[in-house]
Amino acid sequence: MAAKRSTFVICARNVGADNQFGGEPAEISFLRVPAGKDRYDAGLAMKADSWRKYLMAAADGEEDELTGLRGNILVFIHGYNNDIPTIVWRTRKLQETLDDAGWKGVVVAFDWPCENSTLNYLEDRSDAASVADKLVSDVIPMLVSAPDAACVLNVHLIGHSTGAYVIQEAFSRATTKGELFRAEWRIAQVVLIGGDIAADSLDASSQWSGPMFDRIVRLTNYQNRHDSVLGVSNAKRLGTSPRVGRVGLTAQAHSKCVNVDCTHYFEGKDPTHSDFQGTFCHSWHIGDPTFALDLALTLEADIDRLALPTRARGIDGLALQPGLRPQFQSQWLAAAPPLVVG
């Protein structure tokens, strides 16, 4: 089904003379990429209102006329060193695997400028901070405020690698936006994979993450101790503190946080039989069906985080494991049949 659907992109890159997106932060462009097209340029840009209508029509899991059903939007925020074809592939793969897991919603890519050179890593962090401002000024208000009474949207964010930094910085900057700060809005679920932020930045006492926790329902961190990209010995890291995507949450983590340790599950994965792009230990999540089902159940939030069939409970906390969606889950909320009195 995903192959026949459009891919929605919010792009924060500059536009060159050839209509191609460049490597510097710029005004937001809203794009709807046709199925089968593996890259995009500014020629696909649409007016924000038109783009939003198409998005809402796809938010119930089908790209059709607006039905007025409750919908889900998952905004995928990529990390360092992602080119446009990779962003398209990862967005579509997330959509495809979530569809297969039974999730009803639409995945949207938030594309920010990032280069493919280690020397540009710190510059990319600066760009990430800059585009975080765009995320709170132009994107979140449009998604969380639904003037269409028939549409009730649940908005979620998933950050890969440096995308976790973009998310945290966006909520921090939202406190400086008077009208947005005073408004009553919420993001449902925030998910981090390969999160390239300090583990203690998600502590209850962290001033940086405080604004985020004020606005979200739950944060789920997927940890993998084999993620060498996040290792302290990595040259581009320049000696920064242990990253949450590798070591997991601290004992002082905010009460809204949930940690899922993927280390043991990852140890059984064969890259030659896996569908992925990028460095395997850092980006295996996108394309993995077990992760996709756990993510789908997390976004739905119909089952408590401690009871998901894709999670084992041990002395060290929750760990990812293969599992199946409960057989009768779709019937659990069904209305009881009327009583027959005779």
Side-chain angles (χ1 to χ4, degrees):
M1 179 172 62
K4 298 179 181 179
R5 295 167 62 176
S6 303
T7 300
F8 292 89
V9 179
I10 302 164
C11 187
R13 298 175 184 257
N14 67 310
V15 180
D18 57 356
N19 229 25
Q20 300 299 309
F21 287 111
E24 298 298 328
E27 295 301 311
I28 293 290
S29 298
F30 296 94
L31 315 170
R32 184 177 174 226
V33 185
K37 194 175 180 65
D38 65 357
R39 60 177 61 243
Y40 47 83
D41 56 36
L44 293 174
M46 304 175 62
K47 291 184 177 180
D49 288 346
S50 297
W51 181 88
R52 186 177 183 278
K53 288 178 180 178
Y54 280 111
L55 179 68
M56 288 191 301
D60 63 351
E62 299 285 347
E63 189 171 359
D64 50 19
E65 296 299 320
L66 187 60
T67 60
L69 299 176
R70 176 180 294 273
N72 286 278
I73 297 172
L74 175 62
V75 181
F76 166 53
I77 304 169
H78 65 78
Y80 170 80
N81 190 14
N82 276 225
D83 60 17
I84 286 177
T86 298
I87 294 165
V88 172
W89 186 90
R90 286 178 170 169
T91 305
R92 286 178 175 160
K93 184 58 64 174
L94 266 175
Q95 183 75 69
E96 175 187 333
T97 53
L98 283 170
D99 286 346
D100 291 343
W103 183 68
K104 302 298 182 184
V106 60
V107 181
V108 179
F110 180 78
D111 179 17
W112 58 277
C114 62
E115 298 299 333
N116 59 5
S117 167
T118 297
L119 296 177
N120 282 329
Y121 178 74
L122 293 181
E123 179 184 347
D124 285 348
R125 299 286 282 202
S126 175
D127 286 347
S130 174
V131 298
D133 205 54
K134 300 291 185 184
L135 188 61
V136 296
S137 297
D138 302 341
V139 178
I140 288 179
M142 179 180 66
L143 297 180
V144 299
S145 59
D148 314 85
C151 267
V152 181
L153 300 178
N154 290 316
V155 179
H156 317 278
L157 306 176
I158 180 169
H160 178 221
S161 193
T162 320
Y165 176 88
V166 175
I167 290 174
Q168 267 196 297
E169 184 65 13
F171 281 98
S172 178
R173 292 183 179 230
T175 62
T176 68
K177 311 291 182 183
E179 184 175 348
L180 181 64
F181 177 70
R182 290 188 295 271
E184 289 294 327
W185 58 274
R186 291 287 183 273
I187 296 294
Q189 303 282 342
V190 170
V191 175
L192 307 182
I193 53 177
D196 191 2
I197 54 176
D200 60 7
S201 71
L202 295 175
D203 285 359
S205 60
S206 170
Q207 293 184 344
W208 187 35
S209 63
M212 175 179 68
F213 288 120
D214 287 342
R215 296 284 188 175
I216 70 172
V217 176
R218 180 76 61 197
L219 182 144
T220 303
N221 177 64
Y222 291 89
Q223 164 202 5
N224 176 21
R225 292 189 180 276
H226 297 293
D227 192 336
S228 60
V229 172
L230 298 178
V232 294
S233 62
N234 194 312
K236 74 177 180 64
R237 300 235 44 81
L238 300 179
T240 50
S241 56
R243 314 318 270 172
V244 74
R246 179 175 165 111
V247 303
L249 300 170
T250 75
Q252 292 75 41
H254 195 283
S255 60
K256 289 186 177 181
C257 289
V258 177
N259 194 75
V260 181
D261 192 342
C262 304
T263 304
H264 180 69
Y265 175 77
F266 176 81
E267 289 171 350
K269 286 189 63 64
D270 181 354
T272 64
H273 292 85
S274 300
D275 201 5
F276 73 100
Q277 286 198 6
T279 305
F280 186 62
C281 66
H282 188 54
S283 57
W284 62 272
H285 320 73
I286 301 175
D288 182 86
T290 297
F291 166 75
L293 178 56
D294 191 88
L295 176 59
L297 295 170
T298 296
L299 298 178
E300 292 166 3
D302 291 331
I303 303 174
D304 186 81
R305 62 193 183 279
L306 300 179
L308 296 188
T310 46
R311 296 177 185 178
R313 296 179 66 179
I315 58 174
D316 294 327
L318 298 173
L320 188 68
Q321 66 176 6
L324 297 174
R325 184 180 284 274
Q327 181 179 0
F328 302 108
Q329 184 187 10
S330 62
Q331 302 173 39
W332 290 345
L333 293 178
L339 293 175
V340 177
V341 180

